Every structure is written in structure tokens, then in C-alpha cells.
Amino acid sequence: MPAVTVENPLTLPRVAAPADAVARPVLTVTTAPGGFEGEGFPVRRAFAGINYRHLDPFIMMDQMGEVEYAPGEPKGTPWHPHRGFETVTYIIDGVFDHQDSNGGGGTITNGDTQWMTAGAGLLHIEAPPESLVVSGGLFHGLQLWVNLPAKDKMMAPRYQDIRGGQVQLLTTPDGGALLRVIAGELDGHQGPGITHTPITMIHATVAPGAEVTLPWREDFNGVAYVLAGKGSVGAERRPIHLGQTAVFGAGSSLTVRADEQQDGNTPDLEVAILGGQPIREPMAHYGPFVMNTREELQQAFEDFQKGRLGTIPAVHGMGEGGL
């Protein structure tokens, strides 16, 4: 880790918060519980226990892996429905195949992101390719769920395949961090992901002892989740480590710092930094559906049961009927 990198970050555009920026305080640091998703791949539930008002428009985020599979072990998720939100799958290491009932999908690997707008609904499957199942290997990524406002919940489904080479790469004034802007904007630099709800999604690699202070839109919330390593957050340098999420309060900049000493298998601090403009609408969330009311949830279940969200294709690259 990570897949997309550069030899000399100082060749990249540099970003820094202005001197008069108001530092965001750290409101909470929570530890993600572990669990299993789909057919049994390990995840950390990054947002578990965090009040939704601090997360809106983000619904949930899972760190998938990091896991080294033996031959025959790689797992995915079976066919399942979605409606009313967007799934963002970011693969740091490994390979994942996607397919949906509309004929969309593809393969993402090593720094790629797939942005799927479920909208009015579809059936979806995610699985490692047969070659990875046979060989085994490293798998590590993130899946983020982003809510859609009521006006967009029933829009036509859409895919964005964002290749690692398209990601906007930036650094800090001293070159101590590599910032990958996957979606949204940072200090005037635009990431490739197109979003319905204004958000910023960044994967930062912070060298030991280095500090990152980013300008941050005041109308956005701010969270940071540690993918690997250890460090601190906020001007108060609150400790944080692998599997923990920091929630920032109001202000116009946020700070993440890597400890001088990292673990032997983790040379740097790896952190996902997210912010978004809250939608501030009622949310009804159950399983794979995210709507505004219980009645809309019931309608989603009924539509799924009656086949209105699509049917499983008979044959595709993953074999007949999916996994």
C-alpha cells in the first residue's frame, strides 16, 4: 500500500491552509468494530457509533481488509439490491469485479475507484476475479455510502470508473504527504469523481513526523479514518491509530500528523479524509435501501420482491447467475 504514488512529491502542486484559518477541534475519536460482509470478507465499520449529524451526507464506510488471502479464499458479495444512494468502492490493493442488472460494471484494481449511483434501483454483485480466487493475494480497500437528496433518489442509475491515474495528486509545502483527491475539490484542485452531493474524498499518505493542515470548506463536515499507521489529529494532537475515526468540529482547516515511529509493516500514516455538505433531510435506512420515509423503504422492498429493480443476468464474466 498504496497503489498510486510518486517518487518525489515535491514535483506536485502544494496545498496548505492560510495562516488565518480557524483550526477545527476534534469532537470524537471512535474505534471501528470488526465484522464480515458478503460471503465472509473482513471489514471494519468505520462510522459505527458516530451520530449521523456528524456524518451527513455519508451513511457508512467499511475498510475491506487489509487481508492476505490464501489460494481459494478470496470472497465477495452475492447479488443484492440498492436504491436511494451512491456506493463508492476504492481499491488500494487487489482486484474486484463489479456487475449490475443494467449491464454496467467492470474491474477495478490498485488505486481505482468505482462510483455507482444506485438511484431508482438495481441489482449488484461484487467479487474477486477467478484468477485471484485461484492464486490468493493481498486485498485492501474502502467502500463508502453517500446519500442522495430526495430530488435525486429515483434518478437513473449511473457508473463512474475512476482509474488511479486520473486521481488528482497534491502534496504539502514540505513534501511530507501525498494527497490523492478522488472526488470533490481541495484548495482549487479538482478530483475526477462527479458527485450529486458536494463532498471531498482524499486518501493521504503522511510520512513519519510530517503534519498536514488542509484548508477545509466551512459548510462541510470533516472526518478522518486511519487505514494504517498511527498519528494524531487536530491542533491538540489527539492520538489516533489504525481502525479509528476522528470527527472534526467547525472551522476552516483540519490537521493530521503522523507519529515519528510507525510499525514495521506500515512505513507511513495512511488516512482517508472526507467532508461533505449535509443534506439535512429525514433518512430512513434499512439494509441496502436509503430513503426519506418508512413508506419509501416499504415501496423499495416491494419493488425488489416484484423484480422491478432488475433481474440477475444469465451469463456474464463472473459466470452464470453471479457467484
Side-chain angles (χ1 to χ4, degrees):
M1 181 179 35
V4 179
T5 188
V6 294
E7 286 190 19
N8 181 10
L10 288 173
T11 61
L12 301 172
R14 306 179 197 189
V15 298
D20 60 352
V22 177
R24 288 176 173 248
V26 178
L27 301 181
T28 63
V29 173
T30 59
T31 301
F36 292 91
E37 188 56 70
E39 296 182 332
F41 64 83
V43 297
R44 288 185 175 92
R45 308 288 191 193
F47 295 162
I50 300 174
N51 191 304
Y52 180 63
R53 66 188 172 89
H54 296 314
L55 300 173
D56 182 12
F58 307 115
I59 300 162
M60 57 152 272
M61 185 168 74
D62 284 345
Q63 181 181 11
M64 306 181 295
E66 182 176 3
V67 59
E68 183 77 41
Y69 282 121
E73 282 189 342
K75 299 175 175 68
T77 63
W79 284 98
H80 56 282
H82 286 307
R83 173 180 279 180
F85 64 102
E86 301 182 288
T87 65
V88 182
T89 307
Y90 172 52
I91 299 298
I92 299 169
D93 288 296
V95 187
F96 230 29
D97 284 340
H98 289 249
Q99 183 190 356
D100 75 20
S101 52
N102 287 343
T107 299
I108 52 174
T109 182
N110 298 346
D112 296 341
T113 301
Q114 188 203 63
W115 204 292
M116 185 185 80
T117 304
L122 42 65
L123 304 182
H124 185 229
I125 188 172
E126 303 159 294
E130 185 64 29
S131 60
L132 182 63
V133 175
V134 171
S135 67
L138 184 63
F139 183 78
H140 189 201
L142 281 178
Q143 187 167 94
L144 173 70
W145 288 15
V146 184
N147 203 2
L148 287 169
K151 66 181 179 63
D152 294 328
K153 282 195 177 292
M154 297 300 286
M155 68 177 291
R158 182 184 71 176
Y159 270 100
Q160 297 174 70
D161 276 317
I162 302 168
R163 298 300 160 184
Q166 297 174 278
V167 169
Q168 175 70 63
L169 300 179
L170 306 169
T171 191
T172 46
D174 64 359
L178 176 61
L179 308 171
R180 304 166 192 82
V181 184
I182 297 167
E185 174 267 341
L186 179 65
D187 198 28
H189 301 277
Q190 190 72 37
I194 300 169
T195 70
H196 291 279
T197 304
I199 72 167
T200 295
M201 180 180 182
I202 295 167
H203 171 198
T205 299
V206 189
E211 185 172 277
V212 177
T213 298
L214 301 177
W216 211 249
R217 279 179 51 167
E218 292 189 61
D219 60 336
F220 277 21
N221 52 20
V223 297
Y225 174 76
V226 178
L227 295 157
K230 56 187 178 179
S232 59
V233 285
E236 61 269 47
R237 293 195 174 185
R238 188 159 172 181
I240 193 169
H241 59 72
L242 167 64
Q244 291 191 315
T245 302
V247 175
F248 293 89
S252 56
S253 72
L254 54 80
T255 297
V256 176
R257 187 180 188 279
D259 284 355
E260 296 277 0
Q261 298 294 324
Q262 297 292 329
D263 299 329
N265 61 342
T266 305
D268 303 299
L269 174 68
E270 303 285 348
V271 59
I273 304 173
L274 304 167
Q277 191 175 65
I279 296 173
R280 295 194 177 95
E281 292 177 352
M283 184 178 71
H285 172 204
Y286 189 82
F289 305 123
V290 183
M291 305 303 292
N292 293 102
T293 67
R294 289 184 59 84
E295 291 74 21
E296 289 171 344
L297 276 184
Q298 291 168 348
Q299 185 65 54
F301 273 104
E302 180 181 324
D303 288 347
F304 169 54
Q305 290 165 350
K306 292 186 176 180
R308 295 174 185 149
L309 270 61
T311 56
I312 297 171
V315 178
H316 196 272
M318 294 178 197
E320 190 155 346
L323 291 178

CSV table of all heavy atoms in Angstrom, one decimal, residues 33 55 57 87 102 108-109 123 136 196 201 258 266 286 289:
chain,number,residue,atom,x,y,z
A,33,PRO,N,-15.6,-1.3,15.0
A,33,PRO,CA,-15.7,-2.7,15.3
A,33,PRO,C,-15.4,-3.5,14.0
A,33,PRO,O,-15.7,-3.0,12.9
A,33,PRO,CB,-17.1,-2.8,15.8
A,33,PRO,CG,-17.9,-1.7,15.1
A,33,PRO,CD,-16.9,-0.6,15.0
A,55,LEU,N,-22.0,13.0,10.2
A,55,LEU,CA,-21.6,12.3,9.0
A,55,LEU,C,-22.3,12.8,7.8
A,55,LEU,O,-21.7,12.7,6.7
A,55,LEU,CB,-21.8,10.8,9.2
A,55,LEU,CG,-21.1,10.1,10.3
A,55,LEU,CD1,-21.6,8.6,10.5
A,55,LEU,CD2,-19.6,10.1,10.1
A,57,PRO,N,-23.4,14.0,4.5
A,57,PRO,CA,-24.2,13.1,3.7
A,57,PRO,C,-23.7,11.6,3.7
A,57,PRO,O,-24.2,10.8,2.9
A,57,PRO,CB,-24.2,13.7,2.3
A,57,PRO,CG,-22.8,14.2,2.2
A,57,PRO,CD,-22.5,14.8,3.6
A,87,THR,N,-22.7,4.2,-4.0
A,87,THR,CA,-21.7,3.4,-3.4
A,87,THR,C,-20.3,3.8,-4.1
A,87,THR,O,-20.3,3.9,-5.3
A,87,THR,CB,-21.9,1.9,-3.5
A,87,THR,OG1,-21.8,1.5,-4.9
A,87,THR,CG2,-23.2,1.4,-2.9
A,102,ASN,N,-28.2,-3.8,-14.9
A,102,ASN,CA,-28.4,-2.9,-16.1
A,102,ASN,C,-27.3,-3.1,-17.1
A,102,ASN,O,-27.2,-2.5,-18.1
A,102,ASN,CB,-28.3,-1.4,-15.7
A,102,ASN,CG,-29.6,-1.0,-15.0
A,102,ASN,OD1,-30.6,-1.7,-15.0
A,102,ASN,ND2,-29.5,0.1,-14.3
A,108,ILE,N,-11.9,-3.2,-11.1
A,108,ILE,CA,-11.1,-2.1,-10.5
A,108,ILE,C,-10.0,-2.7,-9.7
A,108,ILE,O,-10.1,-3.8,-9.2
A,108,ILE,CB,-11.9,-1.2,-9.6
A,108,ILE,CG1,-12.8,-2.0,-8.6
A,108,ILE,CG2,-12.8,-0.3,-10.5
A,108,ILE,CD1,-13.5,-1.1,-7.6
A,109,THR,N,-8.8,-2.0,-9.8
A,109,THR,CA,-7.6,-2.6,-9.1
A,109,THR,C,-6.7,-1.5,-8.8
A,109,THR,O,-6.7,-0.4,-9.4
A,109,THR,CB,-6.9,-3.6,-10.1
A,109,THR,OG1,-5.8,-4.2,-9.4
A,109,THR,CG2,-6.5,-2.9,-11.4
A,123,LEU,N,-29.8,-4.3,-9.2
A,123,LEU,CA,-29.2,-5.4,-8.5
A,123,LEU,C,-27.7,-5.3,-8.8
A,123,LEU,O,-27.3,-4.9,-9.9
A,123,LEU,CB,-29.7,-6.7,-9.0
A,123,LEU,CG,-31.2,-6.9,-8.9
A,123,LEU,CD1,-31.6,-8.3,-9.4
A,123,LEU,CD2,-31.7,-6.7,-7.4
A,136,GLY,N,-5.0,-16.5,-4.7
A,136,GLY,CA,-4.9,-15.8,-3.5
A,136,GLY,C,-4.1,-14.4,-3.6
A,136,GLY,O,-3.8,-14.1,-4.8
A,196,HIS,N,-23.2,14.1,-6.8
A,196,HIS,CA,-24.5,14.8,-6.7
A,196,HIS,C,-24.6,15.7,-5.5
A,196,HIS,O,-25.1,16.8,-5.5
A,196,HIS,CB,-25.7,13.8,-6.7
A,196,HIS,CG,-25.8,13.1,-8.0
A,196,HIS,ND1,-26.5,13.7,-9.1
A,196,HIS,CD2,-25.4,11.9,-8.4
A,196,HIS,CE1,-26.4,12.8,-10.1
A,196,HIS,NE2,-25.8,11.8,-9.7
A,201,MET,N,-13.3,13.7,-1.1
A,201,MET,CA,-12.7,12.4,-0.6
A,201,MET,C,-11.2,12.4,-1.0
A,201,MET,O,-10.9,12.5,-2.1
A,201,MET,CB,-13.5,11.3,-1.3
A,201,MET,CG,-13.0,9.9,-0.9
A,201,MET,SD,-14.0,8.6,-1.8
A,201,MET,CE,-13.2,7.1,-1.1
A,258,ALA,N,1.5,12.5,11.4
A,258,ALA,CA,2.0,11.1,11.6
A,258,ALA,C,3.0,11.0,12.7
A,258,ALA,O,3.9,11.9,12.8
A,258,ALA,CB,2.6,10.6,10.3
A,266,THR,N,4.2,-0.9,8.4
A,266,THR,CA,3.5,0.3,8.0
A,266,THR,C,4.4,1.5,8.0
A,266,THR,O,4.5,2.1,9.0
A,266,THR,CB,2.2,0.5,8.9
A,266,THR,OG1,1.4,-0.6,9.0
A,266,THR,CG2,1.4,1.7,8.4
A,286,TYR,N,-32.5,1.0,5.8
A,286,TYR,CA,-32.6,-0.4,6.2
A,286,TYR,C,-32.0,-1.3,5.2
A,286,TYR,O,-32.4,-1.2,4.0
A,286,TYR,CB,-34.1,-0.8,6.4
A,286,TYR,CG,-34.2,-2.2,7.1
A,286,TYR,CD1,-34.1,-2.3,8.4
A,286,TYR,CD2,-34.4,-3.3,6.3
A,286,TYR,CE1,-34.2,-3.6,9.0
A,286,TYR,CE2,-34.5,-4.6,6.9
A,286,TYR,CZ,-34.4,-4.7,8.3
A,286,TYR,OH,-34.5,-5.9,8.8
A,289,PHE,N,-31.2,-0.2,1.3
A,289,PHE,CA,-32.0,0.9,0.8
A,289,PHE,C,-31.9,2.1,1.7
A,289,PHE,O,-31.9,1.9,3.0
A,289,PHE,CB,-33.5,0.5,0.7
A,289,PHE,CG,-33.8,-0.7,-0.1
A,289,PHE,CD1,-34.4,-1.8,0.4
A,289,PHE,CD2,-33.4,-0.8,-1.4
A,289,PHE,CE1,-34.7,-3.0,-0.3
A,289,PHE,CE2,-33.6,-1.9,-2.2
A,289,PHE,CZ,-34.3,-3.0,-1.6
